[in-house]
Amino acid sequence: MSINTERDIEANMQIGPTDAGMVRIFIEADGVEIPMDFDPDEANEIAEEIMAAAQAARSLNT
């Protein structure tokens, strides 16, 4: 499986701060819950990677 492999899976994702000062990405799909906690600096790095990927995808669609 690679990043380009399509899957027909529905998932819910929530992102928000925790009371411990972390940023949580919470994914739920098919009865599986995956909480992932990141410190604020890591969360900023992830946000930058997402924005870079969005820009790259945008350039492929033009």
Side-chain angles (χ1 to χ4, degrees):
M1 180 173 90
S2 73
I3 196 122
N4 288 316
T5 304
E6 291 188 30
R7 300 287 181 161
D8 190 23
I9 299 172
E10 289 187 30
N12 295 312
M13 181 174 69
Q14 298 177 30
I15 302 171
T18 69
D19 57 3
M22 302 292 278
V23 176
R24 178 167 290 167
I25 298 174
F26 185 82
I27 299 172
E28 186 274 324
D30 294 331
V32 176
E33 297 178 346
I34 304 171
M36 297 177 286
D37 291 350
F38 304 93
D39 67 43
D41 290 334
E42 290 174 312
N44 282 334
E45 289 177 19
I46 292 167
E48 290 170 3
E49 290 180 30
I50 291 171
M51 289 187 301
Q55 184 62 37
R58 215 176 267 115
S59 70
L60 293 172
N61 292 325
T62 58

